[in-house]
Amino acid sequence: QIDRFGRFKLWHIGGSVFVGISFSSVFGGCLLCTILGTDSYLVRTIGYSFFAAVFNIGWAATQVSHMSMVNCMTSNPTSRVALASCRNASTMVANLGLYGIALAVFGIVKAKTCADIVVQYKWIAYVSIFVGCCFLVLFHAGTEEPTLKCEPNCKKRARIAWSYWFKKTLYYQVALLYMLARLITNVSQSLIAFYVTRDLRMNEYSKATIPAIIFCCSFLVSVVLQEMRWNSRRLKSLLTIGATLWVISGAAVFLLPSQMHNLMYPLAVVIGAANALVMVTTIGLESALVGEDLNGCAFVYGSLSFLDKMSCGLALFVLESYDVASSCGDARGLNTVSRYGTGLIPACFAVLAIVVASTLRLQDDDVARADRRARASAAAGALEAPLLV
């Protein structure tokens, strides 16, 4: 629908409204229970599931429109990857900002009962929504609707059929790489809090400090990446480096004994850098896949996001179906879900990503072989100024 009707900003703000409403409803209590005057398990399940579904509809509209805007703002490959790096850095800032909001709320609202804990998380949700709305207004006031899609020299002005992408080998390669990148980051981040407290027996603060280190390092690497000049060879090389770092750190996380839990801090640094390398390069590959076919870019981002959400949901469902009580974690040594999900399984996904990346054959690879002058055109299209400095 975004490809058909355009108007990225309209889709973005509509999705953001859905996200705000659903988030406030999920954390604000069961609205359906209040309307029906009952608090049964069935009604609560339906009520929370409905707003969780609304959230995902809104998030899809927001994410796909926002990612598609990048390709329609510039056709320069270096600028596209730089914008993706800037986007990833901002995501890390948002994650760290949430930690700051939570720290402030926990300090102001003291929890003595379960009801107090519910109030704490309500305030965290409400403050996060308010801050998000402020940045939403700033974004829409300061960003114009991209016009590159409407320029006369834009290829394939008619809306591109889905079958066009399904005939391209690169589509399946990039889809697999993006899915693997999301599996690596999402699965590991979902279980790392259980890993550091349950398997490594670190203190409760480690549930926040370890992810915070990962986010900080990811932010710093993203800032560095957005200043680089990009081509397909560099995309593949840095993707391979990021995946290799994950293989090493994932194996170390899986084998790390609880007596050496302090090594988790340097490992978090490596994981943060690897996450940034993997995510920025795979999103850059999505832009390379789209190229100048701007009237089909939303389908590319939407279909790949759908694939990553389904795969991550399935992976977490399978992992958590094997989970047991935390009291049994120590007795089973390395054989715990959190160890597998934080270390070994993401490392296996990273190995697959290295294999798939080695088969990539992007367009400017062929151009470089046929005509060395492609280097000059790539240099001419580099960013004239950094994005964040």
Side-chain angles (χ1 to χ4, degrees), residues 281-305:
T281 52
T282 50
I283 294 175
L285 288 172
E286 287 183 286
S287 294
L289 169 63
V290 170
E292 296 181 14
D293 299 319
L294 302 180
N295 291 304
C297 61
F299 172 76
V300 171
Y301 289 109
S303 59
L304 268 58
S305 294

Side-chain angles (χ1 to χ4, degrees), residues 26-277:
V26 167
F27 285 93
C30 179
L31 183 61
L32 185 62
C33 299
T34 304
I35 295 173
L36 298 180
T38 178
D39 194 35
S40 68
Y41 179 80
L42 177 62
V43 173
R44 278 188 287 131
T45 301
I46 294 173
Y48 285 122
S49 298
F50 172 77
F51 283 108
V54 170
F55 167 80
N56 279 280
I57 293 170
W59 177 248
T62 303
Q63 182 184 40
V64 173
S65 60
H66 193 262
M67 295 179 76
S68 300
M69 284 180 71
V70 170
N71 288 50
C72 296
M73 290 172 70
T74 175
S75 59
N76 183 301
T78 292
S79 298
R80 285 179 174 180
V81 179
L83 287 168
S85 302
C86 186
R87 187 178 185 274
N88 192 68
S90 300
T91 303
M92 298 305 108
V93 173
N95 290 334
L96 292 169
L98 181 60
Y99 277 93
I101 292 171
L103 183 64
V105 170
F106 291 152
I108 296 171
V109 182
K110 302 301 181 182
K112 296 181 180 179
T113 64
C114 290
D116 294 334
I117 295 175
V118 172
V119 171
Q120 285 180 330
Y121 279 89
K122 281 184 180 181
W123 274 108
I124 292 172
Y126 293 150
V127 174
S128 300
I129 293 169
F130 174 76
V131 173
C133 288
C134 292
F135 280 96
L136 181 67
V137 172
L138 185 65
F139 170 73
H140 283 274
T143 308
E144 296 181 358
E145 183 76 22
T147 57
L148 188 59
K149 192 172 181 176
C150 304
E151 291 182 358
N153 60 350
C154 177
K155 289 175 59 179
K156 301 184 184 298
R157 295 192 68 184
R159 187 172 63 90
I160 296 173
W162 296 0
S163 57
Y164 171 79
W165 301 108
F166 294 147
K167 294 174 183 176
K168 301 185 73 165
T169 303
L170 184 61
Y171 174 82
Y172 298 99
Q173 292 173 313
V174 173
L176 188 55
L177 284 170
Y178 183 73
M179 180 189 72
L180 290 170
R182 286 293 187 183
L183 282 167
I184 290 169
T185 56
N186 291 351
V187 172
S188 61
Q189 291 302 303
S190 297
L191 297 173
I192 195 167
F194 299 103
Y195 169 75
V196 296
T197 54
R198 183 186 300 181
D199 294 284
L200 297 185
R201 306 178 202 173
M202 298 176 73
N203 58 44
E204 291 295 317
Y205 292 105
S206 63
K207 292 191 293 186
T209 54
I210 296 298
I213 292 172
I214 292 174
F215 295 147
C216 286
C217 294
S218 218
F219 168 77
L220 294 174
V221 173
S222 297
V223 172
V224 173
L225 292 177
Q226 63 105 42
E227 301 297 331
M228 297 175 65
R229 184 173 295 159
W230 290 92
N231 53 39
S232 63
R233 181 175 298 178
R234 184 160 289 175
L235 276 173
K236 291 192 292 185
S237 298
L238 289 181
L239 172 57
T240 303
I241 291 172
T244 303
L245 288 176
W246 240 115
V247 172
I248 297 170
S249 58
V253 165
F254 179 69
L255 297 173
L256 186 65
S258 58
Q259 296 85 354
M260 302 175 65
H261 60 77
N262 285 333
L263 290 177
M264 190 59 206
Y265 292 103
L267 283 174
V269 173
V270 178
I271 290 172
N275 283 350
L277 288 169

